[in-house]
Amino acid sequence: MGYIEFEKVLGKHISIAEEIIGTDFENKLFEKSYYYIANESIKKGFCGMSYNMLTIMTNEKDTVQSITVHFQKVIDRQFYDSIVEKYGKPDNIQIIENRQLESESVTEDDEGQVIQTLRKSTFSLKEGSFEERPLYIIWKKESFEVKAFLRHEQNISEITFSLK
């Protein structure tokens, strides 16, 4: 799978982003800030993982401020090694500690089936390693930042490229 250098789109007009990202994407929802691939059989690749959804945030002049790539699974070691090869060692790897459940509520349908569980938790973050199931991995570059957000419980992750 190919590698798109999303950081090169930051600060450019949205039309440049469309040229670089490709014509497989549509943006019929939320005007120009939310792009997705209409055909589920088409997959794009980034550092060895496939994705089919992007969120592109622009300013009032349609200049790209951030691009978020959404993955259907948690970033794995192969992805991590690949992105470290491209951007170097991360500046921060933040793991959760001292997680405490504050409250929990369960919503059931008329037949008693659970349809939603809401939990409110508090936690703190500390520096850690990739092996400790991080919540965030952050690379701070001269003009942009790369931030990976790993949601292990939901088995999804996203990586955001943004201007500093």
Side-chain angles (χ1 to χ4, degrees):
M1 291 183 200
Y3 176 75
I4 297 173
E5 294 182 284
F6 292 108
E7 66 273 14
K8 291 187 176 179
V9 179
L10 297 174
K12 306 252 183 346
H13 189 269
I14 190 70
S15 62
I16 301 298
E18 291 168 348
E19 289 175 22
I20 293 173
I21 292 168
T23 58
D24 298 327
F25 286 93
E26 293 185 8
N27 63 340
K28 294 180 180 177
L29 303 173
F30 309 117
E31 298 178 15
K32 291 189 179 215
S33 65
Y34 183 80
Y35 287 69
Y36 66 97
I37 300 175
N39 182 346
E40 283 294 320
S41 66
I42 297 172
K43 299 290 183 194
K44 296 279 188 177
F46 180 73
C47 290
M49 284 181 61
S50 64
Y51 67 91
N52 68 345
M53 188 170 44
L54 291 174
T55 305
I56 298 178
M57 301 306 292
T58 60
N59 65 13
E60 64 282 347
K61 295 180 180 179
D62 284 337
T63 301
V64 176
Q65 302 297 298
S66 70
I67 300 174
T68 301
V69 184
H70 304 266
F71 299 100
Q72 296 292 322
K73 62 181 184 175
V74 173
I75 292 168
D76 60 17
R77 183 66 197 211
Q78 181 180 351
F79 178 96
Y80 175 76
D81 290 343
S82 179
I83 202 165
V84 165
E85 185 176 313
K86 173 71 179 160
Y87 297 107
K89 183 181 175 210
D91 293 282
N92 301 99
I93 298 179
Q94 298 180 333
I95 61 170
I96 295 172
E97 71 173 355
N98 302 322
R99 183 185 305 241
Q100 296 179 342
L101 181 63
E102 299 291 326
S103 64
E104 180 176 71
S105 66
V106 177
T107 305
E108 298 177 350
D109 63 15
D110 293 339
E111 295 156 8
Q113 298 292 319
V114 175
I115 57 173
Q116 184 178 31
T117 303
L118 297 174
R119 293 182 183 101
K120 180 180 177 183
S121 306
T122 58
F123 58 85
S124 56
L125 296 173
K126 71 173 187 172
E127 283 298 309
S129 68
F130 183 80
E131 291 73 27
E132 295 176 276
R133 297 173 44 114
L135 180 62
Y136 295 109
I137 305 172
I138 303 166
W139 289 263
K140 296 176 183 175
K141 298 299 172 189
E142 189 173 314
S143 61
F144 66 96
E145 180 177 272
V146 180
K147 186 174 193 178
F149 180 30
L150 291 72
R151 299 180 190 186
H152 295 275
E153 286 82 26
Q154 292 88 13
N155 195 30
I156 58 174
S157 52
E158 54 194 49
I159 187 163
T160 300
F161 296 81
S162 58
L163 290 172
K164 279 190 166 180

